[in-house]
Amino acid sequence: MPKQVVNVASDDYLSAIYRLNHDEGESVIAVRLADRLGVTPPSVAGMLKRLQRDSLVSINRRKMIELTPEGLRRAEEMVRRHRLAECLLTTVLNVPWWRAYEEAHLLEHGISDVTEPHLIETLGNPDRSPFGYPIPGLANAGDLSMTTLADVPEGETVAIERVFEEDEQLLQFFDAEGIRPGQVAKLESSEPYRGTVTIAIEDHEIVMGTQVASRVWVRDGKAASAPA
C-alpha cells in the first residue's frame, strides 16, 4: 500500500500542528489540536504518544507541542501537496473557490513523489494557494503577517493576504462578499461593544463579526498599493 495512504491520520495531525503554529501563530496544546481536528482529547493523547514514539513531535513541560525536524519535513510535504491540489482544483478543474479546501484534503494523500514535480510544472510553479497561504518549498514561508482585520485601526487601508480556509461556510461568505487574497480593503469602523467590524472593498461595505474579521490576515498600506 502506498505510504501516503498508510500515514493519513498522522499526516493530518502534523499538518494541523503546522497550520496552527506556523500559519496562525498559535501555541499548540492538546485541547486546541482536538478542537481543530474535531476529535476527542483521548484520541489526541493516543496519537501524540505515537508521534512522540516516531520522533515527529516533542512536548515540553508546559505541554506545548512542537514538530521535530522530521515532523516539520513531513508536515511541509503534506501541506505543500494540499495547496498544490487546491491550485489544481481552482485553476484547472474550475472547482468553486470555496470548495477547494475540502476537496484538496481528499486529494493530497494521493500525490506521490513522482506526481508532485509534474503537478508543480503543470501549474506554472505557484508559490501561493488560492487562499493566500505560501506553498512550503515553493515560497518564502516565513514572511507571514499575523495582523488580522480585527486588529486594524479605523480609516486604515490594507491588503488582504490570506483567509482562513478550513470552514466551508465561512469561505462561502468570503466568496459572496469578495473577500479574497489580493483585495484592498478599508476599515470603515470597528465597534468592539457590538462585536462588529465594517470594511469597504471597491465601495462595497461589508459588516462582519470580530471573530470573522480575525480570520482574515492583512498587510499594511504599502502592501495594499502593490499589485495583487
Side-chain angles (χ1 to χ4, degrees), residues 3-79:
K3 181 181 177 183
Q4 296 95 317
V5 176
V6 171
N7 294 325
V8 168
S10 56
D11 285 340
D12 284 350
Y13 273 78
L14 296 174
S15 296
I17 294 167
Y18 177 90
R19 292 171 188 275
L20 280 165
N21 183 248
H22 178 269
D23 294 343
E24 300 171 33
E26 298 278 4
S27 297
V28 185
I29 56 176
V31 172
R32 189 167 285 154
L33 191 56
D35 182 63
R36 175 56 57 90
L37 291 169
V39 298
T40 64
S43 295
V44 171
M47 178 57 77
L48 288 175
K49 286 182 181 179
R50 175 179 163 187
L51 296 175
Q52 283 183 292
R53 180 201 69 198
D54 295 340
S55 299
L56 297 172
V57 303
S58 62
I59 303 176
N60 64 25
R61 284 182 290 182
R62 297 178 62 197
K63 305 299 183 182
M64 300 296 182
I65 304 162
E66 295 182 347
L67 296 169
T68 65
E70 176 59 17
L72 177 61
R73 185 197 68 78
R74 281 265 299 272
E76 288 182 334
E77 178 181 89
M78 293 314 304
V79 170

Side-chain angles (χ1 to χ4, degrees), residues 85-140:
E86 290 175 335
C87 292
L88 174 69
L89 288 161
T90 56
T91 63
V92 178
L93 302 181
N94 296 318
V95 171
W97 179 77
W98 57 269
R99 288 189 184 275
Y101 175 82
E102 293 292 342
E103 293 298 312
H105 190 65
L106 301 175
L107 296 177
E108 64 188 49
H109 298 284
I111 299 174
S112 70
D113 293 341
V114 174
T115 303
E116 184 182 323
H118 294 282
L119 182 56
I120 292 170
E121 182 180 0
T122 298
L123 293 170
N125 300 293
D127 60 3
R128 293 262 170 176
S129 79
F131 303 105
Y133 292 86
I135 300 177
L138 304 180
N140 179 7

